[in-house]
Amino acid sequence: MFRSRLTQRQPARRHGPGTIRAVLALMLCVPTGCQRERLQRHYVGPERPAQYVDHATEIKHPVEVQPVSCEVCEADLPRTLRNAQHDQVWDLSLSEVIHLTLSNSRVIRSSATFLSPGNPLMSNPDSLPSVYDPALQDTGTLFGRRGVEAALSEFDAQFTTSMIWGHNETIQNNRFTSGGLDPGDTLVEETGAFSTGVRKRFATGAQFGVSHVWDYSKNNAAGRLFPSVYEGNLRAEFRQPLLAGAGTEYTRIAGPISENIQGVTGVNQGVLIARIDNDIALAEFELAVHLLLRDVETLYWELVGAYQSYHTQVTTRVELKELWDKVRTRLEGDAAGGGRLAEAEAHEAYLRAEAASIAALDQIYDTEARLRRLIGLSINDGRVIRPLDSPIAAEIVPDWHTSLGLALVLRPELRRQKWNVKSIDLQLTAAENLLQPRLDLVASAQTNGFGDNLAGGVNDGVTNNGLGSAYHRLLAGQQTGWNVGVEYSTPIGRRFAHTQVRNLELQLAKSREALHQQEIEVSHELAAAFRDVDRSWLALQNADEQIIAGCQRYEATRDRLLPDDVSINGLLQARESLAQAELRYVAALTEYNTALTNLHYRSGRVLEVNSVQLSEGNWTPAARQDAVDRHAARQHAHQAYLKGEDRPPLSQ
C-alpha cells in the first residue's frame, strides 16, 4: 500500500507562459532523470522470508494414487543361467498366444523398440497406438481432429439468457437533457435488462434465431408518461448464404461457414471429414495390430527354433561327454586309443559343446522374455512358455497375382492413404465454393411490447391505449417491424481463397502421387517376401541334405576309428559338423516360417490367417439406448419425407 500526501487546495489562478514552460520541463524530466530514482514502497504487515526462492526448481515426485499392476508386483526373479528354476512348463499354441496378446494389448508394443533409448513407450507413451485411439478420434474436439459428434455439435441449438439489474444516480447539468429536472438535481435510475433466445444452424448453411427482450427503466424524470416502464420485443431472424458457404455439400465438408479469421478454421470441420478421420484412425489401429501379430508370430517361431537349437546342443554335449569319458578311461587304463592328445581334443570339444548349450539356454530365456513382453505377461510367473505348434516344413507356393491383388486391397496403409486422398478432394470442393463472393439473404420480423407493468391488467390509468400490460401489447401484434434484404461482401481479388484452392490442389496431387508410390512400394515389398520364401525353402532343403551328409560322415568316421588311433580329431570334427548342420536346419526352418509370416503381412492377410477380426466392443446400456433413439428419429424423418409430410413444395 502506497502512502500519498494530501495537499491543501489552492485557489484557481491563471497560468502564464512561464508556468506552462515549467510544466513541460517537468514532463520531460519524468522519463529521463526522475526514473533513475528508486521508488520507495511501503507495505502493510510484518516481513516474512521468501521460502520459494531457493526451491523454485526443486524436483518433486507426484503422489501416485493408482496401484502398481499385479504383473509387476507379483513377478518372480527373472530367469538367468545361474538361477536355475524348476518352472512349470506352459505349452501354448500360436492361436493361444495371439489370443492372449490381443486380450492384454490395450497399448500396443513393438518388438523393435525394446531396450532402445528412444523407446516411445518410455519417452512418448501418448504416441503409442492403443485400443483407445478410435474412440479418442471419434470424441475429438480439437481443430483438425474433430470427431463426428463434435462436428454435429455445430448444428446444436444454442440457448442464451441473461438478467441484469442496475442502479445509477447522476447530477444533472442541463434542464433539456435531464427530463425536466433542475440543474443540480440528482437523476435516480433503476434499470433491468432481460434477454433470452435460441439460435440454430442448418445443413444448408442457414441460421435461424428467435429472441425475446425486455428492458425495464424507472427514474424520477418529470417528462415521462410512466415513472417505470417495460419495453421489449419478440424477434425472429433468418440468414441464408446464397453463394459462398451455401448448400449441404459445403456444410457437410467444411462445417457452417465461419466469421472467424481466414485460415483459422479451414475447410475440414464438417461431418464428412470427421467420418473420414474416424476411418483413418481405424486403419492406423488395424496397421498397429498387423505389426503386433507379425512380431508375435515371428517371436513364436524364434522360440521354437531356440528350443530346437538347445535340444541339438544338449544332444551334442551328451555325445561328446560320453566320447570324452571313453577316451579318459582308456588313458587312465593305458589302453589303446587313450593318448593324452586324444583326451585333450575330446575335452576341448566337450567344453565347446557345453558353452554352446549354455548360450542356447540363454537364448530360450531371452526369446521367451521378449515374447512375454509382447503378450503383456509378467517377466516370470512360475511358468515357462513352450511352443506347442510345430513349424511348417512343407513347401508353400503362393500365387503372385492373387497375393498382389489382396495386398492392394487389404493393406491398411493403402486404405489410410485412400481416405486421405478422399478427404483432401472433399476439402478442395469446399475451397472452390469459397471462390464465390459472400451473398447472404437476411430477414427479420418482430413484434414490440410496451407497458407500465410487465403483465396484469390492460388499463394503465393514464391513457386509453391499454398500456397497463407490456405482454398484452406484445402479443396483440399491433406494433410490428420487419427487415429483408441481402448482404454482399468479397475481398478484392480473393487472394486468400485462390491460395487455399491452390494449396489443396498441391496437397491432392502429392497425396495421389504418394498413393501411387505406395502401391509400387507394396509390390516391391511383396516381391521381396516372395524371394525370401523361395530362398528360405531352398536353404531348408540344402540344410536337410547337409544333415544327411553330416550323418554319413560321422558314421563313416566313427566306423573307421581304430582302437589304437592316437587322435580322434576327425571324429570330433565330424560330430561338430553334424551339430552345425542340424543348427543350420533349425535356423533355416525358423527363417522359412518367418518368411511365410512376412508374406502374409506384406499381402495384408495377417489377421485373416490368424482368424482375427476387429470389431467394436460392447456398448453400455445407455449408449445403446441413445443409438436406438437416434436411429428411430432418423427413420421417422425419412419415412415422413417419403410420404411428403415435410417435403417442400415443388417450384412451378
Side-chain angles (χ1 to χ4, degrees):
M1 179 182 296
F2 297 100
R3 292 186 300 181
S4 60
R5 178 177 299 175
L6 298 177
T7 58
Q8 184 178 3
R9 184 176 180 182
Q10 300 295 330
R13 65 180 63 180
R14 185 179 303 274
H15 298 286
T19 304
I20 297 176
R21 287 195 296 268
V23 173
L24 292 176
L26 180 61
M27 294 175 61
L28 293 176
C29 176
V30 170
T32 57
C34 296
Q35 283 188 345
R36 297 177 183 177
E37 298 181 2
R38 182 177 180 85
L39 182 63
Q40 294 184 358
R41 295 182 174 87
H42 301 272
Y43 301 94
V44 176
E47 295 183 359
R48 295 180 181 179
Q51 301 290 343
Y52 63 88
V53 173
D54 297 332
H55 306 282
T57 57
E58 181 181 3
I59 297 177
K60 296 182 179 180
H61 296 275
V63 178
E64 179 59 44
V65 296
Q66 181 176 353
V68 181
S69 61
C70 298
E71 288 80 1
V72 178
C73 295
E74 300 177 1
D76 295 336
L77 184 69
R79 299 181 183 88
T80 60
L81 293 175
R82 293 191 297 175
N83 180 32
Q85 302 178 11
H86 298 285
D87 295 328
Q88 176 185 356
V89 176
W90 190 12
D91 290 325
L92 285 178
S93 63
L94 180 58
S95 60
E96 291 174 329
V97 169
I98 290 177
H99 176 74
L100 287 173
T101 302
L102 297 179
S103 300
N104 298 332
S105 297
R106 294 185 176 274
V107 175
I108 299 178
R109 301 178 179 88
S110 173
S111 178
T113 59
F114 183 53
L115 297 180
S116 171
N119 186 353
L121 182 59
M122 306 304 297
S123 60
N124 189 15
D126 291 337
S127 66
L128 286 177
S130 68
V131 297
Y132 305 100
D133 291 349
L136 286 173
Q137 168 57 40
D138 188 53
T139 57
T141 57
L142 297 179
F143 166 72
R145 302 292 292 179
R146 304 179 70 184
V148 175
E149 293 299 322
L152 289 174
S153 67
E154 294 286 349
F155 304 97
D156 293 344
Q158 301 293 326
F159 172 75
T160 59
T161 185
S162 65
M163 184 66 199
I164 300 174
W165 292 270
H167 175 82
N168 189 32
E169 298 179 3
T170 58
I171 297 178
Q172 302 301 300
N173 189 47
N174 191 318
R175 183 187 302 274
F176 299 100
T177 60
S178 63
L181 295 178
D182 294 331
D185 291 344
T186 300
L187 176 65
V188 181
E189 292 182 299
E190 303 284 346
T191 60
F194 168 77
S195 66
T196 185
V198 178
R199 184 173 295 274
K200 179 76 169 65
R201 293 179 180 269
F202 297 93
T204 59
Q207 299 182 50
F208 178 75
V210 177
S211 62
H212 181 35
V213 176
W214 282 116
D215 291 326
Y216 169 78
S217 65
K218 177 183 178 182
N219 58 47
N220 57 347
R224 294 167 59 91
L225 178 62
F226 302 112
S228 63
V229 68
Y230 291 87
E231 298 178 88
N233 61 69
L234 179 62
R235 181 182 179 88
E237 298 177 322
F238 179 78
R239 176 184 290 270
Q240 172 63 59
L242 301 178
L243 294 178
T248 57
E249 182 181 36
Y250 174 86
T251 308
R252 295 177 67 191
I253 296 172
I257 189 168
S258 176
E259 303 293 340
N260 294 336
I261 302 175
Q262 291 180 333
V264 173
T265 58
V267 288
N268 59 346
Q269 301 297 294
V271 178
L272 288 181
I273 303 301
R275 289 178 177 174
I276 290 177
D277 289 341
N278 286 357
D279 292 322
I280 292 176
L282 290 175
E284 292 175 348
F285 175 72
E286 183 181 350
L287 175 59
V289 176
H290 274 253
L291 292 171
L292 176 64
L293 295 188
R294 185 196 65 172
D295 291 344
V296 167
E297 190 170 352
T298 299
L299 280 178
Y300 185 87
W301 296 128
E302 288 181 1
L303 185 58
V304 172
Y307 271 100
Q308 292 180 347
S309 298
Y310 178 69
H311 175 72
T312 300
Q313 297 289 4
V314 170
T315 302
T316 303
R317 184 192 64 187
V318 171
E319 292 185 5
L320 291 178
K321 180 65 168 58
E322 293 175 355
L323 183 59
W324 177 40
D325 291 340
K326 290 179 181 180
V327 175
R328 186 172 52 182
T329 302
R330 290 180 181 182
L331 176 62
E332 293 174 354
D334 293 332
R340 295 180 58 188
L341 178 61
E343 192 272 340
E345 291 175 345
H347 188 197
E348 183 182 9
Y350 166 72
L351 292 178
R352 288 196 299 268
E354 186 179 26
S357 63
I358 292 175
L361 180 60
D362 183 71
Q363 185 64 31
I364 290 179
Y365 290 163
D366 179 72
T367 307
E368 196 257 1
R370 288 190 289 126
L371 182 60
R372 277 179 168 271
R373 172 181 173 270
L374 284 186
I375 295 177
L377 302 176
S378 62
I379 189 62
N380 186 4
D381 57 1
R383 298 178 295 178
V384 57
I385 298 176
R386 184 173 66 182
L388 189 62
D389 292 348
S390 300
I392 299 174
E395 182 181 10
I396 295 179
V397 183
D399 181 73
W400 165 254
H401 296 287
T402 301
S403 300
L404 181 59
L406 289 174
L408 295 177
V409 174
L410 300 178
R411 286 289 291 268
E413 301 97 323
L414 298 181
R415 188 167 69 255
R416 176 183 57 186
Q417 186 62 20
K418 290 177 181 178
W419 280 122
N420 188 43
V421 171
K422 181 64 175 178
S423 176
I424 298 177
D425 190 20
L426 291 175
Q427 294 178 48
L428 178 59
T429 302
E432 291 174 345
N433 178 277
L434 295 181
L435 291 176
Q436 305 175 94
R438 183 74 181 267
L439 179 64
D440 293 357
L441 172 66
V442 293
S444 65
Q446 68 182 50
T447 176
N448 302 316
F450 179 91
D452 185 21
N453 297 306
L454 184 62
V458 177
N459 186 13
D460 55 65
V462 179
T463 70
N464 296 324
N465 297 329
L467 303 180
S469 172
Y471 262 115
H472 173 75
R473 303 301 303 175
L474 180 73
L475 299 178
Q478 296 180 359
Q479 286 78 39
T480 61
W482 58 268
N483 293 293
V484 64
V486 293
E487 290 184 1
Y488 179 89
S489 64
T490 181
I492 303 300
R494 294 193 290 275
R495 184 182 302 180
F496 178 84
H498 285 287
T499 304
Q500 181 174 238
V501 169
R502 182 56 180 162
N503 180 264
L504 289 171
E505 288 175 345
L506 293 173
Q507 290 187 40
L508 183 59
K510 179 182 177 180
S511 298
R512 286 174 174 171
E513 182 62 27
L515 176 61
H516 175 64
Q517 295 300 326
Q518 281 184 335
E519 293 172 345
I520 296 176
E521 190 75 7
V522 165
S523 65
H524 282 283
E525 291 179 356
L526 189 61
F530 265 71
R531 288 193 298 271
D532 289 342
V533 171
D534 185 68
R535 176 187 51 78
S536 59
W537 169 251
L538 294 177
L540 181 62
Q541 285 184 316
N542 183 265
D544 184 58
E545 294 176 357
Q546 289 185 38
I547 291 179
I548 297 175
C551 288
Q552 294 175 352
R553 175 189 175 185
Y554 177 66
E555 293 174 357
T557 305
R558 184 180 55 187
D559 295 340
R560 190 184 60 186
L561 183 64
L562 299 177
D564 56 350
D565 284 345
V566 179
S567 175
I568 59 172
N569 186 48
L571 180 61
L572 296 176
Q573 289 182 354
R575 185 63 189 89
E576 291 180 344
S577 178
L578 176 59
Q580 294 300 320
E582 292 175 347
L583 292 176
R584 282 192 292 270
Y585 178 81
V586 171
L589 185 61
T590 302
E591 185 178 4
Y592 179 63
N593 283 266
T594 302
L596 291 176
T597 300
N598 188 53
L599 176 63
H600 297 153
Y601 169 74
R602 300 301 176 183
S603 59
R605 299 180 61 242
V606 172
L607 302 183
E608 176 186 349
V609 170
N610 292 286
S611 301
V612 175
Q613 293 182 349
L614 300 181
S615 61
E616 192 171 356
N618 295 328
W619 288 24
T620 61
R624 181 171 294 277
Q625 184 60 42
D626 182 67
V628 171
D629 294 342
R630 289 174 180 268
H631 172 73
R634 289 193 297 266
Q635 189 68 15
H636 174 75
H638 179 66
Q639 295 296 335
Y641 178 80
L642 294 179
K643 294 178 181 179
E645 297 177 4
D646 299 329
R647 188 179 303 176
L650 298 177
S651 58
Q652 300 296 330

